[in-house]
Amino acid sequence: MGFQAGHGIAFVTEPEVIDSIENGSLRRVLSDWCSPFDGYYLCYSGRRNLSSAFRLVIDRLRYEG
């Protein structure tokens, strides 16, 4: 059993796809199984010298675009 081209299921946060849901290019499925998402939580040491890769992750999680 395979998927047709252009079809699939993804688990993403609503802000990432809300425009596509509203314009009809994506459809929400299994909404009864999706609990509200309050956002990401990140715990890290208070070190001042964070790697550039880790700094990118922190900046991406803070972005509210």
Side-chain angles (χ1 to χ4, degrees):
M1 175 158 121
F3 291 104
Q4 294 179 355
H7 292 81
I9 295 177
F11 184 74
V12 296
T13 60
E14 187 177 70
E16 294 177 280
V17 294
I18 192 67
D19 292 337
S20 297
I21 291 172
E22 289 175 352
N23 73 26
S25 61
L26 289 180
R27 187 169 54 131
R28 186 186 318 258
V29 296
L30 301 173
S31 58
D32 292 344
W33 293 87
C34 298
S35 58
F37 179 70
D38 294 330
Y40 295 100
Y41 295 92
L42 181 63
C43 298
Y44 57 94
S45 69
R47 294 186 314 152
R48 293 182 182 185
N49 299 324
L50 301 176
S51 71
S52 58
F54 190 58
R55 172 56 55 195
L56 286 172
V57 169
I58 292 171
D59 291 344
R60 173 63 180 114
L61 292 176
R62 284 185 177 162
Y63 178 73
E64 295 184 25

